[in-house]
Every structure is written in C-alpha cells, then in structure tokens.
Amino acid sequence: DIQMTQSPSSLSASVGDTVTITCRANQSIDRYLNWYQQKPGTAPKLLIYAASSLQSAVPARFLGSGSGTDFTLTIRSLQPDDFATYFCQVSYNPPWTFGQGTKVEVK
Amino acid sequence: QVQLQESGPGLVKPSQTLSLTCTVSGASINSGPYSWSWIRQPAGKELEWIGRIRTDGTNYNPSLKSRVTISVDSSKNQFSLKLNSVTTADTAVYYCARVNFPSSHFDFWGQGTLVTVSS
C-alpha cells in the first residue's frame, strides 16, 4: 500500500497569511493526489484533484502543486472561513489512503 | 446537483453486522464512469477508505476485506455497506461518496452517519 506522510499536523496562522501543507508518498503516484477541507461535524469537501486542478466553485486562493512523491497545498491570503482541517488523499490504485490531516488554527 | 444520504442503525452490538445504505439523487448510480465508495472516520482520527463498487466489480481495503461487502440496488439508486463481526474499533462516522474518473477523487459526499458499536 502507498503511505502518505502529511505535515505539519497543525499550524497557527492569521487572516491574510499564506500557509503551506505538504504530503509525501513513499513511492511515485504521478499526479494522483487530491486535497480536502473538513470542518467539525461536516463531511470533507473536495478542493483540489489530480494534484493541481481546482474543483468547481473553490476559491482560486487554494493552489495545489507537485507530482511523483511530493505535493503541496498552498492557501494564499487566508480567510476566516479557511480555518479547518485539511487532508490529502492518494488515488493512484486501491487501496486509497488519506494523510493524517493538518489543522489550521487561528494564531 | 448530486446528493448522497446515508441511513442505517446508529448502534450495533459487538460481533454483529453493521449495515448502512446510501441513497443517491441527482445522478444514476449506473451511469459511468463513476464509482461509489464508503469511507469512515473514528472520532478525532484520519479518514479510512473502506471500499468501492463500480459496474465491473468491487475493491476493498485489505485491512477490512474479510469483513466487508458493498453492493448496489439499481432499482432504488442505492448502494450498501455490510461490515461483519464488528468491534468497538469500528465505531466511527461513516460516509458514502461518489468517485470521479479518471483521477478517482471523491467529489460528492453524504453528510455522514455515526455508528457506535456497544453492548
């Protein structure tokens, strides 16, 4: 199975900041990497698919990049609605796995 | 707009079978190229993919494969999850989701349903 290491597990930031979250796979997954946002008590929401494609209706301040084993989610000009937990997900071949999550908190 | 809704018992006794159904609206469950998945999340923990069903078969997480069955009822536009021999470790919020092609991302999710395993 492909293992994902997501970092950091949490970070503190202020409105207007740029934050970066990374996921690293233990083998090449081409661009089969997706990013989700989850708020307490709600289902995850798809932000980015295929490493860098922005899901419909997701603000352009969310940017995905990377290929192979190293991937990054960047949130530019953090907004109050962006304080949440973010997960990466490998979709190369089943079994699909998720990262451990990064909680973005208010500084 | 595609919508998914989980339903089923919120409490299951240890050693029994957990059974959930996901009702899909706004899309036909038989329409390709999508597939349909179950995912779970224990409280405060990461998401765990359980399995998926598509027109040509199923895939399961090896960690659960011996206990899991996912099936489709096309006449009701539903798909279902059965997890046998449950223990307290199976307590989690269970989500159903649509899997999009070709990058196999989960683009639509149900709201989730909490299943507690307890005697």
Side-chain angles (χ1 to χ4, degrees):
Chain A
D1 299 357
I2 297 171
Q3 303 301 320
M4 295 299 296
T5 301
Q6 184 175 344
S7 62
S9 56
S10 66
L11 63 89
S12 298
S14 301
V15 172
D17 286 352
T18 293
V19 302
T20 300
I21 300 167
T22 64
C23 272
R24 172 166 290 174
N26 63 350
Q27 64 185 81
S28 177
I29 57 170
D30 195 0
R31 296 176 61 82
Y32 287 87
L33 193 285
N34 312 302
W35 291 98
Y36 302 84
Q37 177 195 67
Q38 187 178 32
K39 296 181 179 179
T42 69
K45 171 188 173 184
L46 177 68
L47 300 174
I48 302 286
Y49 63 95
S52 61
S53 295
L54 191 66
Q55 173 69 349
S56 175
V58 173
R61 64 179 180 273
F62 292 93
L63 178 66
S65 63
S67 66
T69 60
D70 294 314
F71 300 86
T72 299
L73 173 67
T74 301
I75 311 172
R76 295 177 174 166
S77 186
L78 198 69
Q79 297 300 299
D81 191 49
D82 300 338
F83 293 99
T85 299
Y86 295 85
F87 293 93
C88 59
Q89 177 236 336
V90 179
S91 54
Y92 185 65
N93 275 319
W96 298 320
T97 54
F98 291 85
Q100 299 88 344
T102 297
K103 187 173 185 179
V104 177
E105 300 176 299
V106 178
K107 182 182 286 185
Chain B
Q1 176 77 334
V2 178
Q3 293 184 316
L4 297 89
Q5 177 69 59
E6 305 89 351
S7 59
L11 181 64
V12 181
K13 291 183 177 354
S15 81
Q16 295 192 341
T17 296
L18 180 159
S19 296
L20 295 174
T21 297
C22 183
T23 301
V24 179
S25 58
S28 170
I29 206 165
N30 285 326
S31 64
Y34 307 111
S35 57
W36 307 89
S37 239
W38 288 97
I39 299 147
R40 70 181 183 179
Q41 186 175 35
K45 296 187 177 181
E46 65 196 68
L47 297 151
E48 180 181 31
W49 176 73
I50 298 170
R52 66 106 173 245
I53 189 163
R54 54 184 184 179
T55 53
D56 62 350
T58 53
N59 299 98
Y60 299 126
N61 191 323
S63 67
L64 298 169
K65 187 175 182 177
S66 64
R67 300 194 290 130
V68 172
T69 302
I70 297 175
S71 58
V72 162
D73 185 338
S74 300
S75 66
K76 296 181 179 179
N77 219 38
Q78 295 175 336
F79 64 106
S80 298
L81 168 69
K82 291 190 184 300
L83 181 64
N84 301 326
S85 306
V86 298
T87 70
T88 55
D90 295 311
T91 294
V93 175
Y94 285 74
Y95 297 100
C96 57
R98 189 179 81 168
V99 186
N100 208 328
F101 180 86
S103 59
S104 299
H105 55 274
F106 304 110
D107 59 355
F108 290 98
W109 295 67
Q111 65 185 26
T113 186
L114 174 63
V115 179
T116 302
V117 179
S118 175
S119 54

